[in-house]
Amino acid sequence: MLKFFRNIRKKMLAEKKVSNYLLYAIGEIVLVVIGILIALAINNANENSVKREKEQIYLLGLQDEFQTSKLKLEELIKVNKQSYGDAKKILEFMETDSLPTESTLSNLFLNAFAFDISFNPNNSLLNEMINSGSLKDVRNPRLRLLLTNWVSNIDDITKQEVMLDVERTKIIDMFRREEQSIKTIFNLTGVSGDLGLPNASETQSNLSILSSTEFENNLLIFILTSMSTETTHYTPLMQSMDVILETIVGEIKE
């Protein structure tokens, strides 16, 4: 009987050892898993921190680019407004019996048609982000959409500016004819002096062009295209730029 109880005790001790070993092994496994999870969490936290720092660098760079582009667009709007404004003044002279002086007409011609209207935004960083796939580092989905739409808007405006340049060129080409004189415009506006060109001893008048129906037609289309460029392209683009800048500022950490 004593031997029987001893065998039972030995069996219980053996089972206890196995149970303790299993508990120990399970504990070790749990500790390893916890350690791995902690390491992954730390690694993910470090990666997220790097991504956030990278995003902030991008946001600050984009803010600087769009602020510069906004200044450019504001100046371009002023130039375009003066261009079609002086073109309107020329048209007003064509509809009255009162002719301008040669000097007045020359200055109006120069201000209306001498300057290219072309928006050249600072998009180097944005283009780099798009080409490298880094736009995904911007967490705000609305801002990503705004930046993507911005690029397509610029393409549309470029097409409009090409149309405007075509109409502007048609008018300039009329002054290449024998009946008109670009030299007169240069002399009376000071351009000849700026370019180091001699002033002509005699001035050929350009007033006759005010009676040209072809010139009037070209002038009207030019004015229409210039005003359309401002109202349907530049003004909405400026509004879009303000929204982008406001969104960027909202994402920048102080």
Side-chain angles (χ1 to χ4, degrees):
M1 182 63 70
L2 182 60
K3 183 177 180 181
F4 174 75
F5 283 112
R6 286 177 178 175
N7 289 336
I8 291 176
R9 183 183 178 191
K10 288 180 179 179
K11 184 177 180 181
M12 292 178 63
L13 289 173
E15 290 178 349
K16 184 177 181 181
K17 287 181 179 179
V18 172
S19 176
N20 288 340
Y21 174 77
L22 289 174
L23 289 174
Y24 175 79
I26 292 173
E28 286 292 316
I29 292 173
V30 170
L31 289 175
V32 170
V33 171
I34 292 174
I36 292 174
L37 291 175
I38 292 174
L40 288 174
I42 293 174
N43 184 60
N44 288 337
N46 289 335
E47 288 184 358
N48 288 334
S49 177
V50 171
K51 287 181 179 179
R52 298 294 74 81
E53 290 180 5
K54 184 179 179 181
E55 180 191 32
Q56 290 298 305
I57 293 174
Y58 280 145
L59 290 172
L60 290 170
L62 289 171
Q63 181 186 32
D64 182 65
E65 277 196 350
F66 276 93
Q67 286 175 339
T68 302
S69 296
K70 182 177 180 179
L71 293 175
K72 287 184 176 182
L73 184 57
E74 288 173 343
E75 184 61 29
L76 186 61
I77 289 174
K78 291 179 182 177
V79 173
N80 185 57
K81 192 181 294 289
Q82 180 182 25
S83 179
Y84 72 72
D86 282 354
K88 283 183 175 181
K89 292 178 182 178
I90 295 173
L91 186 63
E92 290 173 0
F93 281 119
M94 298 180 71
E95 297 176 348
T96 65
D97 295 330
S98 176
L99 292 178
T101 64
E102 200 70 52
S103 178
T104 297
L105 186 61
S106 293
N107 279 283
L108 288 175
F109 282 155
L110 183 70
N111 292 334
F113 312 119
F115 304 103
D116 290 329
I117 304 298
S118 178
F119 181 48
N120 183 28
N122 285 31
N123 279 347
S124 56
L125 176 59
L126 178 57
N127 289 335
E128 177 188 332
M129 291 174 64
I130 292 174
N131 294 334
S132 65
S134 297
L135 191 60
K136 68 179 183 300
D137 292 328
V138 176
R139 290 178 295 173
N140 189 321
R142 179 168 179 265
L143 179 56
R144 290 199 302 270
L145 180 61
L146 289 170
L147 293 173
T148 302
N149 290 341
W150 167 264
V151 176
S152 61
N153 289 338
I154 294 301
D155 291 338
D156 290 340
I157 285 177
T158 299
K159 295 176 183 177
Q160 175 68 18
E161 290 172 340
V162 170
M163 292 175 58
L164 178 58
D165 185 63
V166 169
E167 300 306 326
R168 171 177 164 271
T169 301
K170 288 180 181 179
I171 294 176
I172 293 176
D173 284 345
M174 295 190 68
F175 286 88
R176 301 177 190 272
R177 301 173 184 174
E178 188 175 354
E179 297 83 2
Q180 313 307 142
S181 173
I182 293 177
K183 182 65 173 177
T184 296
I185 297 175
F186 279 15
N187 289 346
L188 297 179
T189 58
V191 173
S192 292
D194 294 337
L195 297 178
L197 302 175
N199 283 330
S201 56
E202 295 184 2
T203 299
Q204 178 180 338
S205 176
N206 286 313
L207 293 176
S208 62
I209 201 170
L210 296 178
S211 60
S212 167
T213 302
E214 180 186 0
F215 177 72
E216 182 180 50
N217 291 337
N218 288 332
L219 190 61
L220 285 168
I221 296 175
F222 172 79
I223 292 171
L224 177 62
T225 308
S226 296
M227 295 181 68
S228 176
T229 300
E230 177 183 341
T231 57
T232 64
H233 291 83
Y234 288 160
T235 298
L237 187 68
M238 181 65 75
Q239 295 170 347
S240 174
M241 201 179 311
D242 287 337
V243 172
I244 290 174
L245 279 169
E246 181 181 352
T247 308
I248 289 174
V249 170
E251 294 295 313
I252 295 176
K253 295 180 180 179
E254 297 294 338

